[in-house]
Amino acid sequence: MPHEPSGRLPQPAVGRLSLYFRELHRLNDGGTSHTSSRELGQLVDVSPAVVRRDLSAMGTIGRRGVGYEVVKLIDAIGQLLGSGVQWRVVLVGVGSLGDALLRYRGFERLGFRLTDAFDSDPAKWGRQVGGVLVSDASVMAGRLMETRPELAILAVPADQAPQVAAVLVGAGVSGILNFAPTMLKLPGTTAVVNVDLASELQRLAFSVQNSAR
Amino acid sequence: MPHEPSGRLPQPAVGRLSLYFRELHRLNDGGTSHTSSRELGQLVDVSPAVVRRDLSAMGTIGRRGVGYEVVKLIDAIGQLLGSGVQWRVVLVGVGSLGDALLRYRGFERLGFRLTDAFDSDPAKWGRQVGGVLVSDASVMAGRLMETRPELAILAVPADQAPQVAAVLVGAGVSGILNFAPTMLKLPGTTAVVNVDLASELQRLAFSVQNSAR
């Protein structure tokens, strides 16, 4: 079956695929072997038609009366989303948010392995957080040149973010997940996804204010 | 000047307004009184034309040669996004992520005040985290009926999320920011914004894989 080049999947579809992927893992863990566009749609709160469109864009067609094979869907989506491969990820900034991210158990199963953490505070060096060693941020560049992680999570204060990001890019990191409350502008092909926790709360407040009118 | 009803603003515009808002606060803190669509666009990484369109949809027009008054923009966007008012927010689930969210300093300035936190672990009861008292989750319903918070942040494990959300809705909470890795389905008019940290990392990996081709 022909696969659409993944570059043509729009961002909202990528977000949905990621959610299907999570729910499929949960179904699989619970011993479910087959699912339907209706069930998947209910689990992630979209219509069955949207599920069918998203999955058929990947070249996956459900069989009438049988539905989709859960394991096959996990494989197909995982490959498309880059979770078929192992991604090595470093984290910079072991404050309370960085600490929570190191302890977060949702990354590993999606193929993301946190290999190293860095902080500028000597009190944190040598500690293990969530099984990851925290090292001196000033030796980060040299260490990354050796270990060559693909991705980095940035959980430093806003004013330190551009400088740390520059070091990460210089060491060959291809993508940065940025929790610092500032927009990162990076040279070249480095990908950035910004997560702004306060903006999410603001989006919620906006919805509430709107629906109350 | 006529204001568009905020209900007609599309979600991407709401996201951008929230980012303008953050950068405008930063400009204001730095003593900047006026800004331009070009400067704001650079700060949040969109074109000046998009900035002008977003701001004029709110009824705010920049003056040629002078630009936009920073304080006025903050007021206008804040009102639209619901940050003109104080929102009372409770947090449920003081694990490492909940702990980080209680310590996070970005909420307060946007008008969100964390008033209470709840956890089922007795070891955490009576502790202050980020200035917020942690109480027994089993007395939450009664406490919320007294304090009547508008919003809640859910940072409990996925399997506990539906049950806790039901209690929150029952106590009159209007919106839930959900960090539990599960889709919440709520009755009626309760608004939900889901934040899935692993999905964000997956979006990043997808971009990297794509741009490398």
Side-chain angles (χ1 to χ4, degrees), chain A residues 43-167:
Chain A
L43 288 170
V44 308
D45 206 18
V46 299
S47 78
V50 168
V51 174
R52 284 192 296 272
R53 199 187 60 208
D54 288 342
L55 298 185
S56 74
M58 297 194 325
T60 321
I61 314 279
R63 277 170 56 203
R64 188 173 294 274
V66 181
Y68 299 89
E69 216 175 305
V70 170
V71 174
K72 280 199 182 162
L73 271 189
I74 289 177
D75 278 356
I77 300 179
Q79 256 181 35
L80 189 72
L81 294 181
S83 292
V85 291
Q86 273 279 337
W87 297 84
R88 279 162 308 159
V89 187
V90 294
L91 181 140
V92 192
V94 191
S96 52
L97 182 61
D99 187 275
L101 294 168
L102 287 174
R103 293 174 198 276
Y104 186 70
R105 291 277 71 91
F107 296 136
E108 193 92 11
R109 79 173 329 168
L110 297 184
F112 300 103
R113 193 160 59 83
L114 281 158
T115 56
D116 271 302
F118 298 95
D119 199 282
S120 56
D121 178 2
K124 292 175 182 157
W125 303 343
R127 277 178 52 199
Q128 295 266 351
V129 181
V132 180
L133 180 71
V134 183
S135 305
D136 178 356
S138 71
V139 304
M140 182 171 77
R143 174 108 176 103
L144 298 187
M145 299 299 277
E146 282 170 29
T147 57
R148 292 279 173 197
E150 291 88 11
L151 306 177
I153 298 176
L154 202 53
V156 300
D159 58 343
Q160 294 170 31
Q163 185 188 335
V164 175
V167 174

Side-chain angles (χ1 to χ4, degrees), chain B residues 141-158:
Chain B
R143 175 106 175 104
L144 298 187
M145 299 299 276
E146 283 170 28
T147 58
R148 292 280 174 196
E150 291 88 10
L151 306 177
I153 298 176
L154 202 52
V156 299

Side-chain angles (χ1 to χ4, degrees), chain B residues 123-187:
Chain B
K124 292 176 182 158
W125 303 344
R127 276 177 52 199
Q128 294 267 350
V129 180
V132 180
L133 180 70
V134 182
S135 304
D136 179 358
S138 71
V139 303
M140 182 171 78
R143 175 106 175 104
L144 298 187
M145 299 299 276
E146 283 170 28
T147 58
R148 292 280 174 196
E150 291 88 10
L151 306 177
I153 298 176
L154 202 52
V156 299
D159 58 342
Q160 294 170 31
Q163 184 189 336
V164 175
V167 174
L168 292 167
V169 172
V173 163
S174 307
I176 295 179
L177 185 63
N178 175 37
F179 284 91
T182 187
M183 227 56 188
L184 282 183
K185 275 167 283 272
L186 299 179

Side-chain angles (χ1 to χ4, degrees), chain A residues 6-7 9 11 14 18-19 21-23 26 42-45 79-83 85 87 89 96-97 99-101 103-104 106-107 110 112 151-153 158 174-177 179-183 185 189 191-193 195-211 213, chain B residues 6-7 9 11 14 18-19 21-23 26 42-45 79-83 85 87 89 96-97 99-101 103-104 106-107 110 112 151-153 158 174-177 179-183 185 189 191-193 195-211 213:
Chain A
S6 55
L9 271 179
Q11 273 296 331
V14 174
S18 177
L19 295 174
F21 193 68
R22 186 181 72 192
E23 298 303 328
R26 196 163 294 152
Q42 277 179 346
L43 288 170
V44 308
D45 206 18
Q79 256 181 35
L80 189 72
L81 294 181
S83 292
V85 291
W87 297 84
V89 187
S96 52
L97 182 61
D99 187 275
L101 294 168
R103 293 174 198 276
Y104 186 70
F107 296 136
L110 297 184
F112 300 103
L151 306 177
I153 298 176
S174 305
I176 296 178
L177 186 63
F179 284 90
T182 186
M183 229 52 188
K185 275 168 283 272
T189 56
V192 181
V193 167
V195 184
D196 185 320
L197 301 172
S199 293
E200 301 291 345
L201 201 48
Q202 212 162 29
R203 266 177 59 206
L204 177 67
F206 178 80
S207 309
V208 168
Q209 208 179 34
N210 251 21
S211 65
R213 272 176 193 171
Chain B
S6 53
L9 269 180
Q11 274 295 336
V14 174
S18 177
L19 295 175
F21 193 67
R22 187 182 71 189
E23 298 303 327
R26 198 163 294 154
Q42 278 179 346
L43 288 170
V44 308
D45 207 18
Q79 255 180 35
L80 188 71
L81 293 180
S83 293
V85 291
W87 297 84
V89 186
S96 53
L97 182 61
D99 186 277
L101 293 168
R103 293 174 198 276
Y104 185 71
F107 296 137
L110 297 183
F112 300 103
L151 306 177
I153 298 176
S174 307
I176 295 179
L177 185 63
F179 284 91
T182 187
M183 227 56 188
K185 275 167 283 272
T189 57
V192 180
V193 167
V195 184
D196 185 321
L197 299 173
S199 293
E200 301 290 347
L201 200 47
Q202 213 162 29
R203 266 177 60 207
L204 177 66
F206 178 79
S207 309
V208 167
Q209 207 178 34
N210 251 22
S211 66
R213 273 176 193 171

